[in-house]
């Protein structure tokens, strides 16, 4: 049987199963890849970057927290992929750092300038006039907070 190397991970000889967290991170890397795709419309790229962020926001309190609890409890049992919780956490951290660095680069170097060229700017609250602040408050109170 031939082993398939996954981007960013070492292949362990004899390992026949992919770690589920690695698999999930590979999926989210593909979402990030869509945000990098200059052939897609600008706002689609922004949407994929937001999906990537939202996915990470869900990943940590569920999957990573469970692994941290196992590692802190000293559980050294290995999963079917051959990794224990501490090893998984090290691999996850390295992969997430790489992905978030890419996310930051895409956002700051590509999307923010492209959005500005399209007339969409990021501004601070201090830059808004009273009517704009009131509109933001209204949107927050009626659409976001609920």
């Amino acid at each position: 049987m031939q082993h398939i190397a996954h981007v960013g991970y070492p292949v362990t000889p004899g390992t026949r199963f992919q770690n589920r967290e690695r698999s999930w991170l590979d999926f989210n890397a593909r979402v990030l890849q869509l945000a990098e795709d200059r052939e897609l419309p600008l706002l689609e790229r922004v949407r994929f970057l937001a999906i990537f962020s939202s996915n990470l926001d869900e990943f940590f309190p569920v999957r990573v927290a469970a692994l941290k609890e196992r590692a802190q409890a000293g559980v050294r049992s290995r999963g079917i992929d051959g990794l224990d919780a501490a090893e998984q956490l090290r691999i996850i951290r390295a992969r997430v750092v790489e992905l978030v660095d890419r996310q930051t680069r895409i956002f700051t170097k590509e999307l923010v300038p492209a959005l500005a060229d399209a007339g969409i700017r990021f501004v601070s609250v201090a830059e808004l006039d009273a009517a704009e602040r009131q509109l933001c408050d209204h949107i927050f109170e009626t659409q976001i907070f609920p």
Side-chain angles (χ1 to χ4, degrees), residues 91-145:
I91 290 168
I92 288 168
R93 183 183 189 292
R95 183 72 163 142
V96 168
V97 164
E98 175 232 326
L99 292 173
V100 170
D101 285 348
R102 274 176 56 197
Q103 173 196 28
T104 302
R105 180 193 51 76
I106 294 165
F107 182 72
T108 59
K109 303 288 187 205
E110 295 180 30
L111 296 181
V112 169
L115 287 166
D117 290 345
I120 301 170
R121 297 182 311 116
F122 291 89
V123 296
S124 70
V125 173
E127 295 176 79
L128 301 175
D129 64 29
E132 291 168 329
R133 271 189 293 240
Q134 187 176 5
L135 176 62
C136 287
D137 287 343
H138 175 73
I139 292 170
F140 178 79
E141 293 293 333
T142 60
Q143 297 176 26
I144 297 171
F145 184 69

Side-chain angles (χ1 to χ4, degrees), residues 6-81:
H6 294 280
V7 178
Y9 307 118
V11 176
T12 307
T15 301
R16 297 175 59 189
F17 300 98
Q18 165 112 10
N19 175 278
R20 94 179 184 158
E21 279 68 28
R22 285 181 179 181
S23 178
W24 187 93
L25 288 169
D26 286 344
F27 163 77
N28 211 30
R30 289 190 296 279
V31 173
L32 187 59
Q33 212 170 16
L34 290 167
E36 290 174 308
D37 186 349
R38 291 186 174 107
E39 297 297 315
L40 291 176
L42 178 59
L43 293 180
E44 284 296 302
R45 293 178 68 198
V46 170
R47 186 172 67 90
F48 282 117
L49 200 66
I51 291 168
F52 171 84
S53 295
S54 177
N55 287 348
L56 275 184
D57 288 346
E58 293 175 15
F59 180 71
F60 276 87
V62 177
R63 293 188 178 194
V64 174
L67 286 171
K68 284 181 81 173
E69 286 176 10
R70 289 182 59 210
Q72 289 170 345
V75 176
R76 298 293 298 175
S77 62
R78 297 183 179 281
I80 60 173
D81 58 1

